[in-house]
Amino acid sequence: MSERVLNFFRLMRILKERGNWLLIRRSRRQLLNFILCRNDIHRKPLWKIPFYWFDLLKGLDMLVWRLETFGFLFQSGTSLEDQARLNRCLNS
């Protein structure tokens, strides 16, 4: 249990450091659907969601990878120029 709590705080630190805040602000609904498991691929009842996330925090690598895949996190080592280039399409 303590490992999951530590992983939660590690995830918050990773979000502060590498979060793609421009994309997060523009697609809040998509992120909320991801958090609440409301997408078509893996839909869960509301009462199962806390257990799902508690189990997901067991392995932080997979969760970080999923957030990187959706673009909500930049990969580690991404320069500011690369971040601006990746978000260039969002501004139009």
Side-chain angles (χ1 to χ4, degrees):
M1 168 129 164
S2 64
E3 182 68 26
R4 290 177 177 151
V5 173
L6 285 174
N7 281 343
F8 175 77
F9 288 111
R10 287 179 187 137
L11 180 63
M12 292 300 112
R13 184 176 46 96
I14 290 170
L15 272 171
K16 278 185 177 181
E17 293 171 356
R18 300 184 344 195
N20 187 351
W21 294 105
L22 183 62
L23 179 64
I24 290 171
R25 281 187 213 100
R26 289 184 63 98
S27 57
R28 288 182 184 145
R29 182 177 226 172
Q30 181 185 4
L31 182 60
L32 187 62
N33 286 340
F34 173 73
I35 291 170
L36 295 177
C37 303
R38 292 289 175 218
N39 57 10
D40 293 332
I41 294 173
H42 82 20
R43 186 175 295 269
K44 297 203 177 302
L46 195 59
W47 65 272
K48 280 189 175 181
I49 294 171
F51 299 108
Y52 171 75
W53 280 100
F54 187 74
D55 191 45
L56 208 60
L57 283 171
K58 183 175 27 174
L60 187 61
D61 320 357
M62 181 60 72
L63 184 55
V64 169
W65 175 77
R66 290 176 88 184
L67 289 171
E68 285 175 349
T69 302
F70 287 123
F72 293 117
L73 286 180
F74 291 115
Q75 293 182 351
S76 60
T78 305
S79 68
L80 291 175
E81 295 84 26
D82 290 337
Q83 290 177 10
R85 184 179 52 79
L86 290 169
N87 283 335
R88 189 172 344 139
C89 295
L90 294 175
N91 294 327
S92 56

